[in-house]
Amino acid sequence: MNRPFALSDTPAKGCREAPVLKERGQREVFCGLTGIIWLHRKMQDAFFLVVGSRTCAHLLQSAAGVMIFAEPRFGTAILEEKDLAGLADAHDELDREVERLLARRPDIRRLFLVGSCPSEVIKLDLSRAAERLTKKYAPHVAVLNYSGSGIETTFTQGEDACLESMVPVLPESAERQLLLVGALPDVVEDQALSLLSALGIETVRVLPSRRADAPLAVGEGTVFALTQPFLGETAAALERRGARRIDAPFPFGEEGTTLWLRAVAAEFGVSDERFEAVTAAPRARARLAVAAAAETLDGRSIFFFPDSQLEIPLARFLTRECGMRAVEIGAPYIHKGLVGPDLDLIAEGPLLSEGQDVDKQLDRARAARADLTVCGLGLANPLEAEGLATKWAIELVFTPVHFYEQAGDLAALFARPLRRREMLKALAPKTGEAAG
């Protein structure tokens, strides 16, 4: 464990062709609107205007509570009862809201009209509104739209829908280039760009770009590498524009990052000698950092509820680099075209489940009593009360966890609840004696 990995370490039989339990029932997951919380930080000149209800506004305010002392780049155009009843022209009211917003915030260069459950139910045509408003405010402001409705999307699919909406309006380019796809914290993105530059890959673009004026285009000369496993629709949109995807495991942990970088390096003809020279030091740091947390994780079992679509790459990291045993790996949707390389590296054994019937999955989790259960906020406290150690899945999206320098932090996120439980158990007898 915690040694350099090679392709020869691939298990005799991975999980790519393993049967998948597909469940369709009650589910416990946030809607796609929550993606705005990290997207609005990433795109510095964008604004996300949710066309929805007061419930949508409360969700965003609660989820983005850390931004209370800053002026955020998102808001909600409230659909009142008269809008829902068809007593007012919602398009006219939306136009007025956009006009007021852009007059107050002239720094906005990209405006996203984000659909919600209420706007979907009343069939408000936001695509037509975006076209109309783009004609009015172009070229200073580009107006795009996508759905973050819980009817249409779950949690991270909001980012997928957002990035997909940007692809059709990108300029055409035949330039040979690498496109990194997926919103990463700036510090992580900078680390990835530094590694790629050291490998000699000269033209690298990022979707989403931090600013609207970034030189971002796409065409038949574009190859792209996903950094997030939930971007299936964005990948399909890029392929329709002529771009080609680099197939690789996702860059979580030392192994995933190395295989991801190696696939990119092979595409651009980077020599093995240069690849080893560039990656040797950060790989060693990553292995050392992971080893510290793996002492707690080695031999422990883990159960994944579906939440973010990060579950399969994370299970690969935890089972192969940290010595854990996966009991069930649940994901909202399993896109084998994207996560296939990760599935190939997970030894056959865990149950793969797609979608959710929460009551049935809770029964399986209680029966398994894994050492650690990864789940949403709504399930964590009840399961903790039943004696199960849990990890909030949402934290894995909001925390920098990609590439070499974050590998130790990623492992520590899973080790922390187990260490906390061990400390509480150690204190329990002493507390009882004191009480007595």
Side-chain angles (χ1 to χ4, degrees):
M1 192 174 66
N2 297 313
R3 57 182 172 80
F5 287 87
L7 290 179
S8 59
D9 292 313
T10 303
K13 189 171 184 181
C15 287
R16 189 192 286 250
E17 302 305 323
V20 177
L21 173 63
K22 297 188 177 184
E23 295 188 310
R24 298 294 182 266
Q26 183 181 352
R27 58 187 181 177
E28 293 284 335
V29 68
F30 284 119
C31 72
L33 294 179
T34 45
I36 292 170
I37 304 309
W38 60 87
L39 288 169
H40 92 280
R41 298 177 188 174
K42 186 66 187 177
M43 291 184 267
Q44 299 168 6
D45 54 5
F47 194 96
F48 295 82
L49 184 62
V50 177
V51 184
S53 67
R54 297 188 188 278
T55 301
C56 304
H58 293 324
L59 169 66
L60 288 174
Q61 289 165 0
S62 298
V66 293
M67 296 295 294
I68 193 169
F69 297 114
E71 185 170 26
R73 290 185 292 275
F74 63 84
T76 307
I78 303 294
L79 290 168
E80 303 284 1
E81 289 183 4
K82 62 180 181 180
D83 300 305
L84 299 176
L87 300 178
D89 189 322
H91 282 283
D92 288 346
E93 294 197 15
L94 179 60
D95 287 2
R96 284 194 293 271
E97 289 297 326
V98 169
E99 184 176 4
R100 282 195 289 265
L101 172 64
L102 296 180
R104 186 171 63 85
R105 299 287 294 271
D107 57 309
I108 296 172
R109 297 293 306 279
R110 291 174 285 190
L111 175 62
F112 292 93
L113 304 179
V114 187
S116 65
C117 295
S119 64
E120 296 280 344
V121 167
I122 66 172
K123 308 298 183 186
L124 185 58
D125 191 347
L126 292 182
S127 62
R128 185 161 61 92
E131 292 176 5
R132 181 178 69 252
L133 292 167
T134 291
K135 291 178 182 177
K136 181 176 181 179
Y137 295 106
H140 183 71
V141 181
V143 185
L144 302 170
N145 83 284
Y146 71 91
S147 174
S149 163
I151 300 172
E152 301 290 336
T153 62
T154 65
F155 197 19
T156 51
Q157 284 180 295
E159 178 180 335
D160 191 19
C162 176
L163 301 193
E164 181 194 11
S165 75
M166 301 171 69
V167 173
V169 299
L170 291 176
E172 183 75 25
S173 172
E175 181 183 21
R176 171 70 166 164
Q177 62 175 335
L178 172 65
L179 181 64
L180 299 189
V181 183
L184 298 172
D186 289 349
V187 64
V188 178
E189 181 183 298
D190 290 341
Q191 290 169 10
L193 293 174
S194 177
L195 284 167
L196 294 167
S197 176
L199 289 172
I201 302 172
E202 297 179 355
T203 306
V204 184
R205 312 295 187 202
V206 180
L207 177 70
S209 59
R210 299 181 195 183
R211 303 196 67 83
D213 57 3
L216 187 58
V218 67
E220 292 186 358
T222 303
V223 292
F224 67 96
L226 298 179
T227 61
Q228 304 283 18
F230 45 75
L231 299 176
E233 296 302 323
T234 303
L238 287 166
E239 288 169 348
R240 288 193 293 271
R241 292 291 307 270
R244 180 167 50 83
R245 182 173 61 85
I246 297 175
D247 197 29
F250 286 89
F252 297 110
E254 185 267 328
E255 178 188 35
T257 301
T258 299
L259 293 177
W260 186 91
L261 284 170
R262 194 178 292 281
V264 174
E267 173 68 32
F268 285 86
V270 178
S271 68
D272 289 343
E273 293 78 13
R274 183 165 191 172
F275 184 86
E276 292 301 323
V278 169
T279 62
R283 288 176 73 181
R285 288 195 300 270
R287 288 195 297 271
L288 186 63
V290 170
E295 292 179 2
T296 301
L297 299 173
D298 191 17
R300 303 293 189 95
S301 58
I302 189 165
F303 188 108
F304 284 92
F305 277 80
D307 194 85
S308 64
Q309 292 189 49
L310 298 178
E311 293 83 9
I312 288 172
L314 291 176
R316 185 264 307 153
F317 164 69
L318 291 167
T319 56
R320 289 176 59 80
E321 296 190 54
C322 301
M324 297 194 79
R325 178 177 61 86
V327 177
E328 177 170 335
I329 307 170
Y333 177 69
I334 298 177
H335 191 318
K336 288 189 176 181
L338 302 187
V339 299
D342 286 285
L343 286 169
D344 288 338
L345 294 170
I346 301 174
E348 191 177 33
L351 172 66
L352 295 180
S353 62
E354 179 187 74
Q356 189 175 43
D357 186 320
V358 69
D359 290 328
K360 292 181 180 179
Q361 194 170 34
L362 280 169
D363 289 341
R364 296 197 299 273
R366 289 173 176 132
R369 296 202 66 83
D371 294 304
L372 185 62
T373 301
V374 183
C375 60
L377 296 172
L379 298 178
N381 282 348
L383 291 176
E384 287 278 350
E386 295 179 22
L388 295 177
T390 64
K391 176 74 217 162
W392 291 353
I394 194 171
E395 191 175 358
L396 301 165
V397 177
F398 285 100
T399 304
V401 293
H402 293 71
F403 296 101
Y404 290 127
E405 306 304 331
Q406 283 66 236
D409 294 335
L410 175 58
L413 286 174
F414 293 93
R416 198 171 298 135
L418 294 176
R419 288 173 178 164
R420 182 176 63 245
R421 181 160 290 259
E422 289 170 359
M423 287 190 289
L424 290 173
K425 285 182 179 178
L427 290 172
K430 298 177 182 179
T431 303
E433 291 169 9

